[in-house]
Amino acid sequence: MSNNGSHGAGVETALVIGGGVAGPVAALALRKAGITATVYEAYPTAADGVGAWLGLAPNGLAGLAVVGADAAVRALGQPVPGVVMADGAGNRLAGFDGFPELPATLTMPRDRLFRALTDHAVAEGVPFAYGKRLVAAEETPDGVTAHFADGTSATGDILIGADGIRSTVRTVIDPQAPVPEYGGVLSFGGYAAADSGVDVEPGTMHFAFGRAFMGYWRGPDERLIWFAGLPTDTPPGPAELAQVPAAEWLTRLRELYAGHLPGERLLRHTGPDELMVVGRMERMPSVPHWHRGRMVLVGDAVHAPSSSSGQGASLAIESAVELARCLRDLPTPDEAFAAYEGLRRPRVEAIGLNAAAVNKVKAGKSAHAPAFPAPEEMFRPLHFHRIEWEETVRAGVTP
């Protein structure tokens, strides 16, 4: 049985730090659980022009359906149900058309997803405060106060760190917490001309492994959208990245992908203005402490699996919904946080480790393309996972 609208942990108010994916979804799920949440975002406005494209898998869409945000996201996403895996010489390794009983994976620009989730949350009555960069947080016996760089503060019953892979909340919870792990590759994306001569099956994401890796699909405007990596053991920082002209990056990528099918052709039909410099490919290693007292982490702040997983946004959505469900059903924040970690850690860490293995291939640290299981076996545990909102969470119970 469900106890929607009640809040067993004695929590009535929550401070949600971060307005990306996990933050708005957590606030919506908390609202459904009867808890008032305010989202505090460091940037002065809702994120625009942030990052490149991402995929939202069927399990992520199912999580959005719990909080009523799935329709808003479906309206802006491009369905890409199929997957084809090949090597850099053009030899097909495996293919998958998607599960017919599930909706298709959607691709979309990251900032459009942020905006859609924010707009939906605001329409549902979730307040957002911008220009609020967290600098410290302190607990009292019955609450937690967040202090922001602009000199203001806010107090609630709990504080949720949804502030991304460089989370401030993570270091507040544990000053010795690990930092993001570099995957050995600088990530790039781009748009190649529609008439570049590369065959792309409709509604299909293509992955080409080999000496270098590239993923690509045909976008809604018929151009080919691609993402690729430039292996390096000495990655430049964000400021240094920004100083390198796009044409120079494109020259380096073309040299790396010479002879690669279809990377060479895609890059030849991409101009500097169509190049997206994404930056270091990173993931979070295992985080020892997901929570402390009245503070807890969610999404990339605690389990960023790297883009190689195709699951970053979907896992953040799942965790946000699961956290709200645990707070709804368990008598104290500590019990709710412990149950949430128990329900989520095994799944997200397994996915993260698999992504780390793929990162080694992309970084040229593995001599061969990965040995893929049957695609149905690979995707089934990812895409069919569901957060059972209507079921009651019990302390100490894990999958």
Side-chain angles (χ1 to χ4, degrees), residues 23 42 48 68 75 103-104 127 131 143 148 157 165 174 176 191 226 228 254 298 332 342 358 365 380:
D48 288 313
F148 302 105
D157 293 329
I165 196 169
D174 177 12
Q176 305 303 315
Y191 299 91
W226 58 264
R254 286 170 176 167
V298 69
T332 67
V358 176
K365 306 296 185 183
R380 184 173 293 278

Side-chain angles (χ1 to χ4, degrees), residues 101-127:
E101 62 268 49
L102 294 181
T105 290
L106 299 179
T107 63
M108 65 199 72
R110 181 180 297 273
D111 61 340
R112 292 188 67 189
L113 175 61
F114 286 4
R115 173 65 71 177
L117 293 176
T118 297
D119 289 349
H120 181 77
V122 169
E124 291 296 313
V126 174

Side-chain angles (χ1 to χ4, degrees), residues 4-393:
N4 286 7
S6 65
H7 33 92
V11 173
E12 296 184 354
T13 58
L15 313 176
V16 180
I17 310 299
V21 174
V25 176
L28 285 162
L30 289 166
R31 184 177 181 277
K32 185 169 182 174
I35 299 168
T36 299
T38 300
V39 178
Y40 297 88
E41 169 55 50
Y43 287 102
T45 60
D48 288 313
V50 176
W53 286 65
L54 56 73
L56 197 57
N59 51 299
L61 289 168
L64 290 180
V66 173
V67 297
D70 54 323
V73 172
R74 288 181 199 276
L76 61 90
Q78 179 193 5
V80 184
V83 173
V84 169
M85 299 177 184
D87 62 21
N91 300 305
R92 184 180 175 119
L93 303 174
F96 177 57
D97 293 328
F99 296 103
E101 62 268 49
L102 294 181
T105 290
L106 299 179
T107 63
M108 65 199 72
R110 181 180 297 273
D111 61 340
R112 292 188 67 189
L113 175 61
F114 286 4
R115 173 65 71 177
L117 293 176
T118 297
D119 289 349
H120 181 77
V122 169
E124 291 296 313
V126 174
F128 282 69
Y130 291 97
K132 300 296 181 182
R133 185 172 298 279
L134 185 77
V135 293
E138 57 184 348
E139 290 193 50
T140 64
D142 55 359
V144 58
T145 298
H147 297 280
F148 302 105
D150 64 358
T152 62
S153 62
T155 299
D157 293 329
I158 60 170
L159 183 147
I160 297 170
D163 50 343
I165 196 169
R166 284 172 176 75
S167 170
T168 298
V169 179
R170 186 173 65 237
T171 61
V172 171
I173 288 174
D174 177 12
Q176 305 303 315
V179 298
E181 174 185 283
Y182 172 57
V185 170
L186 290 177
S187 295
F188 296 85
Y191 299 91
D195 59 354
S196 57
V198 176
D199 291 331
V200 179
E201 297 178 24
T204 300
M205 181 80 68
H206 291 253
F207 300 103
F209 291 86
R211 179 174 52 84
F213 166 84
M214 179 170 278
Y216 58 99
W217 72 100
R218 191 173 294 282
D221 64 358
E222 294 300 314
R223 289 186 298 173
L224 296 176
I225 304 167
W226 58 264
F227 53 95
L230 187 65
T232 176
D233 292 330
T234 55
E240 188 180 349
L241 272 174
Q243 292 172 359
V244 178
E248 184 175 328
W249 287 124
L250 199 52
T251 296
R252 292 180 62 181
L253 287 166
R254 286 170 176 167
E255 290 172 353
L256 175 65
Y257 284 85
H260 182 282
L261 291 176
E264 179 176 351
R265 182 167 297 209
L266 288 172
L267 288 162
R268 190 166 68 243
H269 287 83
T270 300
D273 291 344
E274 286 102 31
L275 183 71
M276 293 177 280
V277 182
V278 181
R280 304 182 191 192
M281 185 171 63
E282 297 176 313
R283 63 178 289 269
M284 277 307 300
S286 180
V287 174
H289 303 290
W290 283 35
H291 57 92
R292 176 172 63 82
R294 292 177 172 268
M295 296 182 286
V296 65
L297 299 169
V298 69
D300 280 359
V302 69
H303 56 60
S306 98
S307 58
S308 296
S309 70
Q311 280 283 319
S314 296
L315 292 182
I317 291 163
E318 287 181 359
S319 289
V321 174
E322 192 74 276
L323 174 59
R325 180 171 163 258
C326 291
L327 285 163
R328 180 195 69 192
D329 292 347
L330 295 172
T332 67
D334 195 58
E335 287 177 88
F337 296 162
Y340 153 72
E341 179 181 350
L343 288 165
R344 295 300 296 160
R345 185 187 282 273
R347 173 170 170 79
V348 300
E349 292 200 346
I351 292 170
L353 287 173
N354 285 339
V358 176
N359 289 349
K360 288 184 178 180
V361 176
K362 293 182 178 181
K365 306 296 185 183
S366 176
H368 306 287
F372 294 106
E376 291 82 358
E377 297 176 13
M378 182 166 52
F379 290 115
R380 184 173 293 278
L382 299 176
H383 291 181
F384 277 88
H385 186 83
R386 297 293 179 270
I387 306 299
E388 300 296 342
W389 180 265
E390 300 298 330
E391 294 185 6
T392 300
V393 181

